[in-house]
Amino acid sequence: MKTVKIGTRGSQLALYQANLVAEFLRKEKSEVEVELTTIKTTGDKILDSPLSKIGDKGLFTREIEKAILEDEIDCAVHSLKDLPTELPAGLKIAAFGKREDVRDALIAQDNMKLLELPKGATVATGSLRRRSQLLHLRSDLNLVDIRGNLNTRIRMLVEEGYAGILLACAGVKRLGMMDKVTEIFEPERMLPAVGQGIIAVEAREDDDQISQLLRGFNDADSESCALAERAFLHQLEGGCQVPIGVYTSVERNLMTGIVASLDGEEMVRDSVKFDRDSPEESGQSLAERLVSLGAAKILEEIRNVSR
């Protein structure tokens, strides 16, 4: 294989992540040429509706996955949290990049922290998971939906006069904008999304050559955490239409998850021991624990509202 074609979305963050993989391949395999192909997905085209209203099955991946299956590209780089837990037939995750900061961040006007925001202040987020956990911490806030890439969201903070916006630290760090962050939420206060901070490289299932090329890019700890968290989400049949958060601590051998109501008033949270040798079993076990504590009722109520 002399040329590797990598598919990616066209945002600054997506291109940064795709270039991480491209640079790895160029460094490790100097004889291999690498090309980036930008592909616009459904999620990139529909910017006037909340993610929870337009469905979540491959919203940011479907068109890219089609290009892999049709041999237009050899692999694709995604934020793992955008990949549905069930991949299309014929595709696999060939590598999991080293996990970046899993935490969520607040960028607020006047350098304010969450507890300093005025009563009823307007905060923007595109995530139901962040919304419900934020309301759990500050039920008085006025939360509005926001779409678009990182630069667009930061611009809207000023243009729309929001008091603050909530974002994933990983993207902010990768684009060198941490100086704009006014507060970081530890997982104890706000659990991240499944796979948050992990870059995933998707390829054809039968393409052993690509898997071999990417072997050195794969991070074993990231892979274990990803398998556990995706098994947890799959067991709960969740996606971006429901407020589900999870974090796997490799250092503490602990996996913690939540299922919350849309208004943040109801929240089920628990932890299980994380077994890196059986990560998927750990994820399933945590999901079963939350179901036993009432998560199924919360999820059913949310799905009834969405119908």
Side-chain angles (χ1 to χ4, degrees):
M1 180 178 285
K2 297 210 174 163
T3 302
V4 176
K5 294 181 180 178
I6 300 176
T8 174
R9 293 166 63 201
S11 72
Q12 186 182 357
L13 178 58
L15 290 169
Y16 176 90
Q17 294 178 165
N19 273 305
L20 286 178
V21 178
E23 286 165 16
F24 166 81
L25 289 173
R26 290 185 185 116
K27 183 179 176 184
E28 294 294 311
K29 308 288 179 183
S30 57
E31 72 278 10
V32 173
E33 292 288 324
V34 182
E35 294 178 6
L36 295 189
T37 300
T38 57
I39 299 170
K40 209 163 196 178
T41 67
T42 303
D44 297 316
K45 296 170 187 172
I46 305 174
L47 294 173
D48 56 355
S49 298
L51 293 178
S52 58
K53 299 295 183 187
I54 52 179
D56 62 338
K57 294 291 185 184
L59 198 58
F60 294 107
T61 60
R62 191 178 301 114
E63 289 82 358
I64 298 175
E65 290 173 329
K66 183 172 180 284
I68 303 174
L69 289 168
E70 293 180 356
D71 286 350
E72 293 171 13
I73 55 177
D74 298 299
C75 61
V77 178
H78 307 282
S79 291
L80 181 62
K81 62 186 178 66
D82 291 336
L83 269 179
T85 54
E86 290 185 10
L87 301 181
L91 296 181
K92 67 181 177 183
I93 299 176
F96 299 87
K98 186 173 177 58
R99 195 168 208 172
E100 184 45 280
D101 197 325
V102 302
R103 300 172 297 177
D104 289 303
L106 173 70
I107 298 178
Q109 303 273 14
D110 303 319
N111 291 317
M112 288 188 178
K113 296 191 182 326
L114 178 63
L115 296 181
E116 295 169 342
L117 295 177
K119 186 172 182 179
T122 298
V123 177
T125 173
S127 159
L128 289 182
R129 173 190 59 81
R130 292 187 190 112
R131 173 189 285 262
S132 66
Q133 291 186 90
L134 194 62
L135 285 172
H136 189 73
L137 296 170
R138 283 282 308 265
S139 60
D140 62 290
L141 294 177
N142 173 40
L143 294 190
V144 296
D145 192 73
I146 190 171
R147 294 286 313 283
N149 61 41
L150 184 59
N151 293 313
T152 299
R153 295 184 190 207
I154 291 175
R155 189 183 72 244
M156 289 176 69
L157 169 68
V158 177
E159 290 180 356
E160 300 294 331
Y162 300 141
I165 55 175
L166 273 179
L167 302 161
C169 263
V172 180
K173 274 192 175 181
R174 285 175 178 143
L175 295 187
M177 297 182 180
M178 284 300 288
D179 60 312
K180 298 182 184 297
V181 170
T182 56
E183 185 171 10
I184 293 174
F185 298 97
E186 297 298 329
E188 289 75 20
R189 291 182 76 200
M190 185 172 293
L191 281 175
V194 167
Q196 187 160 310
I198 298 175
I199 294 171
V201 187
E202 190 177 21
R204 287 180 289 278
E205 210 163 32
D206 59 0
D207 194 336
D208 296 331
Q209 203 168 4
I210 281 289
S211 296
Q212 187 66 30
L213 286 172
L214 290 166
R215 179 176 290 181
F217 186 78
N218 192 67
D219 181 84
D221 284 345
S222 291
E223 181 175 4
S224 292
C225 291
L227 292 176
E229 292 173 13
R230 286 169 67 80
F232 166 76
L233 185 66
H234 186 264
Q235 186 84 0
L236 292 172
E237 298 179 358
C240 65
Q241 293 174 310
V242 289
I244 292 174
V246 64
Y247 174 54
T248 307
S249 171
V250 174
E251 296 78 15
R252 297 169 60 198
N253 290 321
L254 193 68
M255 189 175 182
T256 304
I258 62 153
V259 172
S261 59
L262 294 174
D263 59 11
E265 288 190 9
E266 292 181 84
M267 187 173 288
V268 175
R269 180 182 181 120
D270 206 355
S271 301
V272 298
K273 182 181 177 184
F274 171 59
D275 183 353
R276 70 180 70 196
D277 294 322
S278 305
E280 289 165 314
E281 289 180 17
S282 297
Q284 291 162 358
S285 174
L286 179 58
E288 288 163 4
R289 288 274 300 169
L290 294 190
V291 167
S292 73
L293 293 171
K297 178 176 174 288
I298 295 173
L299 291 173
E300 184 58 33
E301 288 172 353
I302 291 170
R303 288 171 184 135
N304 285 338
V305 169
S306 302
R307 285 179 189 136

